Amino acid sequence: KAGVTQTPRYLIKTRGQQVTLSCSPISGHRSVSWYQQTPGQGLQFLFEYFSETQRNKGNFPGRFSGRQFSNSRSEMNVSTLELGDSALYLCASSSMGQGPLGGYTFGSGTRLTVV
Amino acid sequence: KQEVTQIPAALSVPEGENLVLNCSFTDSAIYNLQWFRQDPGKGLTSLLLIQSSQREQTSGRLNASLDKSSGRSTLYIAASQPGDSATYLCAGPGAQKLVFGQGTRLTINP
């Protein structure tokens, strides 16, 4: 079966711009979560969606937002980009309802560079 | 609150050696633990998922164990190969999220 698909793979944006990243989960998976990975901070949790509802959000400013559609695809948006937003953004899907017994599957990530 | 720690941060060994990567976690109510591999600039590849009802999981040359009472998991790699060079991450479940260790950067020298 197809894995988790993230688009685009690479992005270069200018400070102050906004960006939208997309994630298509494994078919049948209803949970999608997003992580930011930087060399200094490691993997940090951004937010998690299940059946179009945000269930948890990490400690990021309001410039970071997301949503999930009825087909479980998810998007995250970053507005007013800052240099520090340069990172690898990873999306993960899970079949979990009450608990992630099946584990998480990650996409290949979107490498965002802010200049 | 779940916290995950991995030691060592980096490890370099000659090809052919058996090695162990360590992961510790604070919440003993953990119901599973997942090991991932990450190549530079790439996403995470799931290696092994251990449920709390299991003590070990094996996949090829990889074996992962989970000891909830001690808050530890280990990833054993047998007969290491240069292609095993990567960063290895363990992660335990938090509230609708994964909590990651900082990873162990493994280098296998030919």
Side-chain angles (χ1 to χ4, degrees), chain B residues 9-97:
Chain B
L11 183 63
S12 180
V13 301
E15 180 178 3
E17 280 203 4
N18 302 324
L19 58 99
V20 174
L21 306 182
N22 296 295
C23 172
S24 60
F25 48 89
T26 56
D27 184 0
S28 62
I30 195 168
Y31 47 84
N32 64 28
L33 187 135
Q34 201 164 356
W35 282 90
F36 295 90
R37 167 186 172 139
Q38 185 175 34
D39 293 291
K42 306 293 186 181
L44 305 184
T45 300
S46 180
L47 297 173
L48 289 163
L49 170 69
I50 316 173
Q51 303 295 348
S52 60
S53 58
Q54 304 169 311
R55 288 189 62 85
E56 289 188 2
Q57 272 280 26
T58 298
S59 176
R61 294 182 294 108
L62 304 180
N63 176 277
S65 67
L66 176 63
D67 185 344
K68 291 176 58 177
S69 62
S70 67
R72 293 170 60 181
S73 176
T74 60
L75 179 66
Y76 175 83
I77 303 176
S80 58
Q81 303 170 358
D84 295 330
S85 297
T87 295
Y88 291 80
L89 297 136
C90 68
Q96 289 90 42
K97 66 179 182 180

Side-chain angles (χ1 to χ4, degrees), chain A residues 9 35 37 40-43 45 48 55-56 88 90 96 99-104 106-109 111, chain B residues 31-32 34 36 38 40-46 49 51 89 93-102:
Chain A
R9 288 281 286 120
Y35 295 81
Q37 187 177 36
Q41 298 297 318
L43 275 154
F45 171 74
E48 189 264 0
R55 297 197 299 183
N56 196 5
L88 180 65
L90 293 165
M96 70 184 191
L101 297 182
Y104 291 79
F106 280 79
S108 298
R111 170 72 63 184
Chain B
Y31 47 84
N32 64 28
Q34 201 164 356
F36 295 90
Q38 185 175 34
K42 306 293 186 181
L44 305 184
T45 300
S46 180
L49 170 69
Q51 303 295 348
L89 297 136
Q96 289 90 42
K97 66 179 182 180
L98 278 175
V99 179
F100 285 90
Q102 289 293 90

Side-chain angles (χ1 to χ4, degrees), chain A residues 6 12-14 16 39-40 51 59 63-64 82 98-99 111 113:
Chain A
Q6 290 190 247
I12 300 176
K13 290 287 188 178
T14 303
S51 293
N59 189 25
R63 299 184 297 106
F64 291 81
E82 302 178 358
Q98 295 303 313
R111 170 72 63 184
T113 302

Side-chain angles (χ1 to χ4, degrees), chain A residues 32-104:
Chain A
V32 175
S33 48
W34 291 87
Y35 295 81
Q36 180 196 66
Q37 187 177 36
T38 59
Q41 298 297 318
L43 275 154
Q44 291 188 290
F45 171 74
L46 281 157
F47 26 66
E48 189 264 0
Y49 288 87
F50 181 82
S51 293
E52 302 180 65
T53 300
Q54 185 183 89
R55 297 197 299 183
N56 196 5
K57 180 173 165 55
N59 189 25
F60 278 82
R63 299 184 297 106
F64 291 81
S65 63
R67 59 178 173 170
Q68 186 180 33
F69 301 96
S70 59
N71 62 358
S72 293
R73 190 178 71 85
S74 177
E75 290 182 346
M76 68 163 281
N77 184 277
V78 187
S79 62
T80 320
L81 284 165
E82 302 178 358
L83 294 178
D85 297 333
S86 295
L88 180 65
Y89 289 87
L90 293 165
C91 163
S93 81
S94 169
S95 62
M96 70 184 191
Q98 295 303 313
L101 297 182
Y104 291 79

Side-chain angles (χ1 to χ4, degrees), chain A residues 17-37:
Chain A
Q17 288 186 313
Q18 75 166 23
V19 67
T20 299
L21 313 182
S22 178
C23 173
S24 293
I26 289 173
S27 179
H29 284 194
R30 297 162 65 190
S31 168
V32 175
S33 48
W34 291 87
Y35 295 81
Q36 180 196 66
Q37 187 177 36

